[in-house]
Amino acid sequence: MAELVQVDQRDDGVVTLTLNDPATRNALTGSAMVDTLLAEFARIERDASVRVLVITAAGNVFSSGGNVMDMQRQIGPAVGAAALRQEYRHGIQRLPLALHALEVPTIAAVNGPAIGAGCDLACMCDVRIAAHEATFAESFVKLGIVPGDGGAWFLPRLIGSARAAEMSFTGDAIDAATAEQWGLVSRVVPAAELLPTALALAGRMAANSPDAVRMTKRLLRESQHVRLDTLLELSAAYQALAHKTQAHADAVQAFAARRAARKPQG
């Protein structure tokens, strides 16, 4: 049986996780997909050599979201509402918490339809790059349910409340070009260029000081919910730490050496 998530780790610290469950079109529920991703996130968080995470998928679909066949079990009389609440709390809801808290930058390379929870998975990442074939749908209402995995928190922060409401209330899909126009994705590329583009971007991130990148990501996260004076205090503390890293010292010395080399002699 193929692994649900394929793992590739490059020497430059870029890790690629590829969703690989073609039978369900890379559904996130109804299998061990969430647990497998969480285990990888925990490993990445402990591994100081990891600098950037790329999430993509095998096949023509990024993720179909929730497993609709498993929903037949959920609507049956054997599973009560209280038990379903706990399934969400201890199941898929661990995914946004873990991915959002991950210190390294994350890039979603969206190769095809990202539906429901699949759309939200892409939204949980810091950056999204889409193939021309990609589509995005916050489609929960079409099944008579709500975004139970945090999509109502992520989506408005990316594209604004009005457009998030349009996607969430209609459940309609938008194409990659619209996603780029709305700011949901950073760029749209041909399918053959998707992973190379994502990996090239990841490489440029990985080339920078890992400490500075991780602290910068934390500042961006904190800026979403704290006052300016609070963020400035945290920025000052992080900056003090950054000034004492070897990467900063090396960068300053290299800059000084280049400037000295350009200075006219005599």
Side-chain angles (χ1 to χ4, degrees):
M1 181 177 177
E3 296 182 24
L4 285 175
V5 178
Q6 297 174 338
V7 182
D8 177 70
Q9 185 159 340
R10 303 194 319 189
D11 292 339
D12 62 356
V14 176
V15 172
T16 302
L17 301 182
T18 303
L19 309 184
N20 184 39
D21 189 11
T24 67
R25 300 193 305 159
N26 300 319
L28 297 174
T29 60
S31 70
M33 181 70 81
V34 168
D35 287 335
T36 304
L37 287 171
L38 288 170
E40 284 302 318
F41 296 161
R43 182 190 67 80
I44 289 168
E45 191 74 359
R46 294 190 301 267
D47 187 348
S49 71
V50 177
R51 298 191 173 195
V52 184
L53 168 63
V54 175
I55 298 178
T56 191
N60 299 321
V61 176
F62 180 71
S63 175
S64 59
N67 189 324
V68 179
M69 298 306 294
D70 187 56
M71 293 179 190
Q72 295 183 70
R73 174 189 60 83
Q74 294 174 322
I75 64 177
V79 184
L84 281 173
R85 174 174 173 264
Q86 295 301 326
E87 279 191 20
Y88 274 89
R89 292 183 65 244
H90 300 292
I92 197 170
Q93 286 189 350
R94 294 177 296 159
L95 193 60
L97 293 172
L99 189 52
H100 190 67
L102 203 61
E103 283 199 338
V104 300
T106 55
I107 301 171
V110 184
N111 54 300
I115 309 300
C119 178
D120 293 342
L121 175 63
C123 291
M124 294 171 200
C125 295
D126 299 312
V127 178
R128 284 149 298 283
I129 300 173
H132 288 299
E133 295 80 3
T135 57
F136 299 83
E138 193 74 350
S139 55
F140 298 92
V141 292
K142 288 188 177 294
L143 288 172
I145 55 176
V146 302
D149 59 350
W153 191 89
F154 289 100
L155 193 59
R157 284 168 166 77
L158 296 175
I159 63 175
S161 59
R163 284 170 171 161
E166 180 178 335
M167 288 185 67
S168 301
F169 297 161
T170 65
D172 293 343
I174 61 172
D175 60 19
T178 303
E180 184 179 28
Q181 179 187 352
W182 288 6
L184 184 56
V185 303
S186 298
R187 65 194 75 176
V188 178
V189 299
E193 298 177 16
L194 177 64
L195 192 54
T197 300
L199 292 175
L201 177 60
R204 296 202 300 276
M205 295 177 182
N208 293 315
S209 162
D211 294 316
V213 170
R214 287 174 179 237
M215 288 189 287
T216 298
K217 176 170 177 175
R218 177 53 57 189
L219 290 175
L220 290 172
R221 287 283 187 262
E222 295 300 318
S223 72
Q224 296 179 3
H225 60 83
V226 301
R227 300 183 322 189
L228 174 59
D229 58 344
T230 302
L231 188 74
L232 288 172
E233 287 291 338
L234 184 59
S235 301
Y238 280 4
Q239 194 73 304
L241 293 173
H243 274 296
K244 296 300 182 180
T245 62
Q246 188 61 48
H248 174 62
D250 292 344
V252 171
Q253 291 168 4
F255 177 84
R258 289 194 301 270
R259 185 167 184 177
R262 291 196 300 267
K263 186 176 181 180
Q265 301 297 317

